[in-house]
Amino acid sequence: MTDTQAATIPAPTPAPDRQPLLRVTGLTRHFPIHSGLLRRQTGAVRAVDGIDFTVNAGETLGVVGESGCGKSTMGRLVTRLDEPTGGTIEFEGTDITHLGVGAMRPLRRDIQMIFQDPYSSLNPRHTVGTIVGAPFRLQKAEPAGGTKKAVQELLELCGLSPEHYNRYPHEFSGGQRQRIGIARALALRPRMIVADEPVSALDVSIQAQVVNLLDDLQRELGLTYLIIAHDLSVVRHVSDRVAVMYLGKIVEIADRDALYSSPMHPYTTALMSAVPVPDPRRRHSGGRERILLKGDVPSPINPPSGCRFRTRCWKAQEICATQEPPLAVASAGHQVACHFPERGPENAATGDGAPAPA
């Protein structure tokens, strides 16, 4: 998305009357590591290691973080495409954490997923009509007017021609393929959609079109989104609230405007400083210098004790190594997991802030 396309950012939708549609508590996913002739478990990859958040009906929650922080795994857990190791997932008050395939089938109508790669997520042997109509067959649902008419209406809703019904995926561009994936996700009129980096595999010139399509569909159909992305400009454009993940943990959750204007976690501050600004005068006048994090991201097999960001944090002290900071309320609608948050009460008195660029 270009700077011009992202310049006009809609204001977040007010949320006083919203009720939690999705509630995640203590969610974990550890992938076991086996070795030796007997294939004994010798460790585990702690991809998602105890996260808590809610998604209110009608809102968009954006999830950002570095590659490998557990964003996509979290999305697969929420849609029950993967089995959680621990914690609970509640959808509309129903615990779906360990529901089997049969018990989850009715709930598939209400929660769907848009995948990252529009090339591998569509079966090349099936026509568009077969792909988009698959949810009707799997759910044994016969739409009014027949499946073909419903599929053609979905294609038109997503900016494609109804005449594409009998074509195959290889005949479409990446952006068109992603629209087919979106149409498939919308087939059963779900209440919530989890979008796993829906535009990261697309050309920059197409990304804005797909993002605008998602916005239009939300307004028209009353959808709730959980959008996973690493592009901060995309997340800022579409989200009402933003959650920041680091090494399997959520380190900060806040309203979009609050997070982008006043990030409290040092990791979020470093992320925001990396957003490109075309005009150097704007960067210096904004007072946010580029922060270069030192060292590599620790291994999720053996994460650091206490705060997981402490090995790269310029504010780390002894307590950061011994006590893991909880995700606590720092201000209205703003939660942060840090012992020494940026712009926190203890920093306001000392004037402590972000460091000069390394």
Side-chain angles (χ1 to χ4, degrees):
M1 182 179 298
T2 64
D3 186 62
T4 303
Q5 292 166 326
T8 303
I9 300 173
T13 305
D17 57 341
R18 291 177 178 170
Q19 299 297 323
L21 184 67
L22 177 75
R23 186 183 300 275
V24 172
T25 307
L27 186 63
T28 63
R29 180 63 170 107
H30 296 171
F31 294 94
I33 299 174
H34 300 281
S35 61
L37 293 176
L38 300 179
R39 306 302 296 165
R40 291 175 176 170
Q41 182 174 342
T42 57
V45 178
R46 303 166 74 170
V48 177
D49 202 20
I51 60 176
D52 305 273
F53 66 90
T54 60
V55 183
N56 297 320
E59 81 165 344
T60 299
L61 176 66
V63 182
V64 298
E66 291 174 288
S67 296
C69 70
K71 306 186 301 295
S72 294
T73 300
M74 180 267 291
R76 293 180 61 85
L77 293 172
V78 166
T79 52
R80 287 306 322 283
L81 296 178
D82 196 4
E83 185 71 17
T85 304
T88 59
I89 305 168
E90 295 181 19
F91 185 76
E92 289 191 301
T94 302
D95 189 344
I96 66 171
T97 312
H98 299 294
L99 291 184
V101 175
M104 271 300 298
R105 183 168 287 115
L107 290 170
R108 296 293 181 197
R109 292 172 174 264
D110 292 326
I111 181 168
Q112 287 288 318
M113 190 166 187
I114 299 172
F115 297 94
Q116 176 178 358
D117 188 356
Y119 294 89
S120 63
S121 63
L122 304 180
N123 192 327
R125 298 184 178 183
H126 290 172
T127 64
V128 170
T130 302
I131 292 171
V132 179
F136 296 120
R137 295 191 301 275
L138 294 173
Q139 291 285 340
K140 296 181 173 59
E142 182 62 31
T147 300
K148 181 175 182 179
K149 179 181 178 182
V151 169
Q152 290 178 328
E153 290 175 351
L154 285 167
L155 294 176
E156 195 168 9
L157 181 66
C158 294
L160 297 170
S161 171
E163 298 176 357
H164 293 157
Y165 183 87
N166 290 317
R167 294 189 181 181
Y168 288 86
H170 73 270
E171 301 179 66
F172 297 91
S173 65
Q176 289 175 318
R177 293 188 193 199
Q178 193 62 296
R179 289 173 185 267
I180 295 170
I182 294 172
R184 177 178 58 184
L186 293 175
L188 299 172
R189 291 297 190 264
R191 298 195 59 195
M192 179 176 179
I193 288 182
V194 178
D196 183 11
E197 308 220 22
V199 298
S200 63
L202 306 180
D203 187 87
V204 175
S205 62
I206 305 300
Q207 290 183 4
Q209 297 178 18
V210 175
V211 167
N212 290 334
L213 172 63
L214 293 174
D215 274 344
D216 294 340
L217 292 172
Q218 183 176 41
R219 286 192 295 268
E220 185 172 345
L221 303 177
L223 297 171
T224 301
Y225 286 143
L226 175 62
I227 295 185
I228 299 164
H230 63 266
D231 189 329
L232 294 171
S233 62
V234 170
V235 171
R236 183 174 188 176
H237 184 79
V238 301
S239 300
D240 297 317
R241 292 188 300 132
V242 180
V244 181
M245 285 191 69
Y246 181 81
L247 207 62
K249 293 279 190 179
I250 290 180
V251 297
E252 188 168 3
I253 301 179
D255 291 339
R256 179 194 65 195
D257 292 339
L259 188 83
Y260 278 78
S261 62
S262 302
M264 289 190 177
H265 197 281
Y267 175 64
T268 310
T269 303
L271 281 183
M272 296 304 171
S273 76
V275 176
V277 177
D279 188 350
R281 292 170 296 181
R282 285 179 55 193
R283 172 174 291 277
H284 291 297
S285 63
R288 182 175 294 174
E289 294 290 345
R290 177 73 169 93
I291 300 172
L292 299 179
L293 296 178
K294 298 180 180 179
D296 298 324
V297 179
S299 170
I301 300 174
N302 186 28
S305 61
C307 176
R308 298 192 173 187
F309 185 61
R310 66 177 177 83
T311 57
R312 307 172 74 192
C313 182
W314 59 90
K315 306 183 77 171
Q317 299 185 25
E318 185 177 351
I319 189 175
C320 301
T322 57
Q323 295 183 21
E324 181 179 342
L327 187 64
V329 176
S331 61
H334 203 139
Q335 295 175 279
V336 61
C338 183
H339 292 299
F340 307 99
E342 298 286 311
R343 301 174 181 84
E346 70 282 352
N347 292 336
T350 61
D352 190 18

